[in-house]
Amino acid sequence: MKSFHIHTGAALSRRTFLRGAGAVMGLPLLEAMTPAFSAPARTPQRFVGVSLYLGLHGPNLTPKGSGRDYTPSRYLRPLQDIRDDFTVVSGSSHPGVVGGHTAESSIFSACPNQRGATTRNTISLDQLMAKHLGHETRFPSLVLNTGTEKSPSYTENGAMIPAINDPRKLFASLFVDDSPQARKRKGELLQDGKSIMDIVGEEAKALEREVGSGDREKLDAWFTSVRELEQRLEMNESWVERPKPKVGKPPRPADPNNAADVKRAFLDIALLALKTDSTRFLTLHCTTNGVRSLDGVEENYHGLSHHGRDEDKLEQLTIVEQAMVNAWADFVRELKAHEQGRGRNLLDDTMVLLTSNLGNASSHDNKNLPVLFAGGSFEHGRHLAFNPKDNEPLPNLYLSALRSLGLQEERFATSTGELKGLVRKG
């Protein structure tokens, strides 16, 4: 069933459908869905997904106890000033996702990747959000990587979106205006793109009359993606002549031998992108391997993550991973410090996820993934501890995130419902 977006202050249930003869139809916005005394317009909602290619060492991350009274772990002790702003989730993973590092592609799509289970990836969480809500900003989404162009962000057709991996290029894209000649050329390319879509579309319609029903379904799905691309081209054209926001100097160069510093450089620009409402949906995949600038660290990140329980390697790994967690926490603090008016800060309207494709990098295990989830319209300050042997589907958290945006998906990937224990405010 296709998603739709309904005003979230509804008096009548947002999940009211008409059902009959096997059909399901979402109702339009009705007066009964609006409270007698309407609340102020809802502020834009955002999502930032930060993924770590090499995971986090579980014993240093997972707290003791559950609920609000958990005892913070080694990695979480420096985060106690924002304890009530994030939720710790343990005992969760993506059902059907295996293969150690190769599970990287399923971080945000949760698409099962066993041989024969699927021939291609499925749409990632951030891109599903951007598909329905990304038209409201200059950049429907931003896909970033601290090291390479590889990303865990995938389109509806299962194509990977190449990541921006240079902070200065990212800054220029967001905040440096194109020259008049460049703007003119972009407009011409967009016009050319639309005319090409028109031609391809006519050819597709002609083909539909010549093939069987099975192929017609495939063509219809493809034609739908063509129309979506056409709409996105039109949307992009409307931004070509609009000036970009001005935020000051480009970012300082990050130390390539400090993975946490590189991560901070990207998150600093991400913060500016959110503050200026240049985008609302963003992923950052952390793949930088250099860490030798960190005091007490002598080996590279990848080698330390495959520690084999060696005490010296674990001690060095702890230094690296604490820095990575701290960088994420500082980003959360910055969001919280940015006031938006009406008693709200940017974190109130921004979900921030930290996770990985690996629960145990040393053994290439894809179970018991690290999960910290901050901000948005949720009550936090809890440790949601699920069964480490029979994991809770992490896609349940993704479904909760989608529904908090007003996107009434019945499921996401292998979800079985919203995440148990994750409660919305109000």
Side-chain angles (χ1 to χ4, degrees), residues 246-258:
K246 299 295 183 286
V247 296
K249 296 180 180 180
R252 58 173 177 77
D255 181 356
N257 289 312
N258 184 334

Side-chain angles (χ1 to χ4, degrees), residues 342-415:
R342 292 185 295 161
R344 298 186 68 80
N345 59 60
L346 196 52
L347 184 62
D348 291 327
D349 301 310
T350 307
M351 295 174 280
V352 189
L353 173 66
L354 178 68
T355 190
S356 176
N357 50 297
L358 290 171
N360 185 334
S362 188
S363 61
H364 294 102
D365 188 8
N366 302 116
K367 305 290 284 185
N368 298 307
L369 301 178
V371 179
L372 300 180
F373 184 60
S377 57
F378 297 96
E379 295 181 3
H380 292 293
R382 296 181 175 89
H383 173 208
L384 303 183
F386 297 104
N387 192 329
K389 295 183 179 179
D390 184 17
N391 282 184
E392 178 79 0
L394 185 53
N396 289 358
L397 172 60
Y398 294 2
L399 184 63
S400 295
L402 287 166
R403 289 183 177 173
S404 77
L405 295 177
L407 299 176
Q408 297 306 300
E409 300 290 318
E410 289 192 347
R411 61 184 298 180
F412 181 82
T414 52
S415 66

Side-chain angles (χ1 to χ4, degrees), residues 22-39:
V24 182
M25 181 178 295
L27 292 174
L29 182 64
L30 304 175
E31 290 184 6
M33 293 178 177
T34 306
F37 300 97
S38 297

